[in-house]
Amino acid sequence: MNEITNIINFLEEIGIKVIEKELPQDTFLPGITISQNGIEIDFDKLLYPGDILHEAGHIAVTSSNERILIGTDAMPKEWPTQGDEIATMLWSYAALKYLDLPIEFVFHPNGYKNQSDWLIENFSNANYIGLPLLEWMGLTNKDIFPQMTQWLRD
C-alpha cells in the first residue's frame, strides 16, 4: 500500500470521509478542500499528499457541533482560529507518527509559510507546540503524546 492509501484508510477508520471529485483550480491547497461531508480530493491536482493529513486535522480538532458546519455559511468566519491551526499541525504530526511517515511528508518546504523547518525541528525535539490545546480538546495528554486517546474532538 502506498502512503495515500494508508492515509485514506486511516481517515475512514477514524470517521473522516474522503471524497474523490474534480475540484476547481482555486482551492486554498492544490487539489484538496474540506466540507461538511469530509475531505474532497482531486488527485489530478493534488501536489502535496501530506496536505491530506493537515486538512483532516482541521476536521478532527473542530468540535462535533461545528464540524457539520464546515464549508457552509453557518461556520463562524474566524474558523479556523490560530489556536485551531496550531492544534491541527500537532494533530497531523501525531497522525504521521501513527502512520510511520517521515515528518517532511506533511511539513514540506512549500507549506507552513516558510516555517516547516522550524516546525520539524521543534516537533523532532519533543517541543510540542500546541499540546495543551490537544489536551484541552480531550484528544491526548502529555504523558502519552504523540499517541492519541481519540482522534476526533467531541
Side-chain angles (χ1 to χ4, degrees):
M1 277 189 169
N2 67 28
E3 290 105 349
I4 294 176
T5 302
N6 286 340
I7 291 168
I8 291 171
N9 289 340
F10 165 71
L11 295 178
E12 295 280 346
E13 285 172 16
I14 66 169
I16 297 176
K17 290 183 182 173
V18 177
I19 302 127
E20 183 175 354
K21 66 183 282 188
E22 188 173 337
L23 295 173
Q25 293 287 63
D26 63 348
T27 56
F28 181 72
L29 295 173
I32 188 167
T33 193
I34 54 178
S35 71
Q36 65 190 90
N37 299 318
I39 297 179
E40 299 174 357
I41 304 172
D42 185 333
F43 289 103
D44 291 332
K45 295 180 180 116
L46 182 68
L47 294 183
Y48 306 105
D51 289 346
I52 298 169
L53 281 180
H54 180 85
E55 293 305 294
H58 280 298
I59 294 170
V61 304
T62 299
S63 65
S64 58
N65 58 338
E66 284 194 330
R67 201 175 298 132
I68 60 171
L69 304 177
I70 294 173
T72 71
D73 291 338
M75 182 55 112
K77 293 201 185 306
E78 62 275 0
W79 183 86
T81 66
Q82 288 182 345
D84 294 333
E85 191 65 46
I86 291 167
T88 294
M89 287 187 277
L90 196 55
W91 184 96
S92 59
Y93 173 78
L96 73 84
K97 295 300 278 184
Y98 178 80
L99 293 168
D100 197 27
L101 295 169
I103 194 169
E104 297 82 8
F105 185 79
V106 172
F107 299 99
H108 54 83
N110 294 313
Y112 304 93
K113 299 179 182 175
N114 297 316
Q115 296 299 311
S116 58
D117 287 342
W118 181 80
L119 290 164
I120 289 169
E121 180 182 338
N122 277 279
F123 293 161
S124 297
N125 289 312
N127 183 18
Y128 300 129
I129 303 150
L131 185 55
L133 287 170
L134 290 184
E135 289 179 297
W136 175 77
M137 292 173 178
L139 300 177
T140 190
N141 68 66
K142 65 180 185 215
D143 296 326
I144 65 165
F145 191 80
Q147 290 180 312
M148 302 290 274
T149 54
Q150 65 185 53
W151 286 101
L152 294 178
R153 183 175 173 191
D154 290 330

